[in-house]
Amino acid sequence: MIKTQSNMRIIDQLQEQNNRFDEAIESLTATKKSLQPKFLYDKYGSVLFEQITQLEEYYPTRTELSIMEGSLDEILRHISSRSTVIEFGSGASRKIRMLLESGMIDEYVPIDISKSFLMESSEQLSVDYPAIQVTGIVADYTNELNLPKELMDATKKKTVFFPGSTIGNFEKKEAHNFLSMIAALLSSGDGLLIGVDVKKAPRILHNAYNDKEGITAKFNLNLLTHLNRELGADFNLNQFEHYAFYNAELGRVEMHLVSMEEQVVTIGNKSILFNNHETIHTENSYKYSISEFQQLASSSGFVLEKTWTDPKELFSLHYLSVL
Ligand code: AVJ
């Protein structure tokens, strides 16, 4: 456990998982090559994602923030005072500040896979909000998650905050399982505040994942740098190209890395053959119409309290509770 401020602690659950790259090797040696999007988030990947959120073409972050600003009082009315807020994939923690400002929250639990990023933002928040206990957890929440016992106290009101449409990274079935897991974690009267990207014109979606400056391409390619460093792989970044498109039939943006020649990549004692133009599928970003998401939420054990959206219905924010 790491402590720098008296109201801050970091619990690292990732350290124990020394096999956390086994999945990467397994999915790279499958017939259809893929890599889980969580491997996008090393330190530099988290920085690049922050840059993506500032891009003109990337509407989700800006739109979600504007929805939150416009309806903040109403959102806060759903959150019980003196409650604990647990955030999955906290990243730079910009949105959470709007909730912490309210003075209603006495414990904040950010959970993120990027340790250095989590430590920095937890430290800053504990300085800025000395009355709030900040418990940062370094973990891969797509695998099993063990929250500290005292957090599981059912008498303590809890709100889970899952912004940014990260739920879109999950397959439909997995999204259902993940939401059900959160519902099971909560007690009667607790809630989930979740941001979900909405289906829209393919051109807008296409541009959001194919920005002019090429930041999304860098973000995608950095995954290979991450594997080179962590696994001693020898991916040559000049021989792979970013490719992202909207798959309308499946309602998702797909991100791939395309091998631009026939080549062999070595990872440890494994040699992986890439055909020319063969791709590694690195991310899915599912989009949900508002009613599709509402149905998913109620089938996962939640009761819909309220949905907020922006005037163009680009993005949606939902407050769900458990009975
Ligand atoms: C963090 C998963 C919500 O899917 O839009 C941004 C990640 N990938 N640009 C998304 C991402 C490419 C982002 N999520």
Side-chain angles (χ1 to χ4, degrees):
M1 178 140 17
I2 301 159
K3 251 176 190 297
T4 50
Q5 307 290 322
S6 61
N7 61 327
M8 185 275 238
R9 57 181 174 153
I10 299 284
I11 300 169
D12 189 348
Q13 300 187 343
L14 215 52
Q15 224 168 28
E16 302 131 40
Q17 269 187 278
N18 42 22
N19 59 343
R20 71 186 201 92
F21 285 94
D22 288 0
E23 304 175 80
I25 294 175
E26 203 176 299
S27 64
L28 268 180
T29 47
T31 323
K32 266 191 174 301
K33 296 180 171 65
S34 67
L35 284 165
Q36 295 81 0
K38 63 189 174 199
F39 297 118
L40 291 163
Y41 301 95
D42 61 350
K43 169 96 206 204
Y44 186 50
S46 297
V47 170
L48 285 170
F49 179 68
E50 275 317 301
Q51 292 180 17
I52 288 175
T53 66
Q54 317 277 338
L55 293 168
E56 179 62 38
E57 295 99 329
Y58 196 75
Y59 61 87
T61 312
R62 160 168 30 90
T63 310
E64 187 176 40
L65 275 166
S66 77
I67 296 170
M68 284 185 69
E69 270 159 19
S71 303
L72 189 59
D73 290 345
E74 208 189 336
I75 292 167
L76 290 171
R77 257 180 267 137
H78 287 282
I79 299 174
S80 316
S81 57
R82 314 224 38 207
S83 61
T84 298
V85 171
I86 303 166
E87 179 175 9
F88 289 97
S90 50
S93 301
R94 212 151 9 109
K95 294 158 195 160
I96 193 66
R97 286 179 177 267
M98 295 174 66
L99 304 182
L100 300 185
E101 285 294 328
S102 71
M104 290 170 65
I105 289 143
D106 48 35
E107 180 158 16
Y108 171 52
V109 184
I111 306 171
D112 202 275
I113 196 162
S114 173
K115 184 176 184 175
S116 51
F117 224 69
L118 183 79
M119 283 182 54
E120 256 171 52
S121 59
S122 297
E123 167 125 31
Q124 192 55 56
L125 288 168
S126 64
V127 170
D128 295 348
Y129 303 96
I132 299 174
Q133 167 67 43
V134 179
T135 302
I137 303 180
V138 189
D140 171 8
Y141 57 79
T142 64
N143 282 331
E144 130 200 74
L145 181 73
N146 299 305
L147 290 177
K149 265 195 224 68
E150 64 273 23
L151 284 178
M152 301 309 294
D153 177 359
T155 63
K156 185 96 191 133
K157 285 292 163 212
K158 289 188 263 309
T159 304
V160 169
F161 186 41
F162 195 33
S165 202
T166 307
I167 189 73
N169 276 170
F170 293 94
E171 293 297 333
K172 294 279 171 75
K173 183 81 184 78
E174 291 171 5
H176 174 272
N177 292 343
F178 188 72
L179 292 175
S180 305
M181 181 276 282
I182 294 176
L185 208 78
L186 299 175
S187 312
S188 173
D190 292 342
L192 166 64
L193 182 62
I194 182 170
V196 185
D197 198 9
V198 177
K199 281 182 175 157
K200 58 183 59 65
R203 176 185 45 83
I204 302 176
L205 289 167
H206 184 89
N207 292 342
Y209 294 82
N210 290 281
D211 63 282
K212 290 190 297 296
E213 290 174 60
I215 308 290
T216 309
K218 271 195 196 163
F219 173 66
N220 196 6
L221 283 159
N222 176 61
L223 205 163
L224 302 182
T225 312
H226 187 191
L227 294 190
N228 282 348
R229 187 180 60 243
E230 294 292 334
L231 291 172
D234 63 354
F235 284 103
N236 181 341
L237 270 69
N238 298 319
Q239 286 163 206
F240 286 88
E241 220 173 77
H242 166 72
Y243 178 51
F245 62 93
Y246 181 57
N247 182 333
E249 200 187 330
L250 296 175
R252 69 190 195 196
V253 171
E254 293 185 20
M255 206 160 75
H256 295 256
L257 287 165
V258 186
S259 173
M260 296 313 287
E261 52 193 82
E262 186 180 307
Q263 56 182 316
V264 175
V265 173
T266 4
I267 304 183
N269 57 3
K270 289 205 164 60
S271 294
I272 301 171
L273 171 72
F274 285 86
N275 292 321
N276 191 18
H277 301 152
E278 183 176 355
T279 83
I280 310 173
H281 189 170
T282 55
E283 185 177 52
N284 284 320
S285 191
Y286 280 90
K287 310 302 172 186
Y288 292 88
S289 74
I290 289 176
S291 62
E292 269 176 335
F293 184 76
Q294 289 173 335
Q295 274 166 33
L296 174 64
S298 45
S299 79
S300 311
F302 283 101
V303 177
L304 174 74
E305 299 276 341
K306 177 85 190 189
T307 296
W308 298 273
T309 187
D310 54 291
K312 291 184 184 156
E313 292 202 9
L314 291 173
F315 201 87
S316 63
L317 186 67
H318 309 260
Y319 188 86
L320 312 167
S321 64
V322 289
L323 281 183

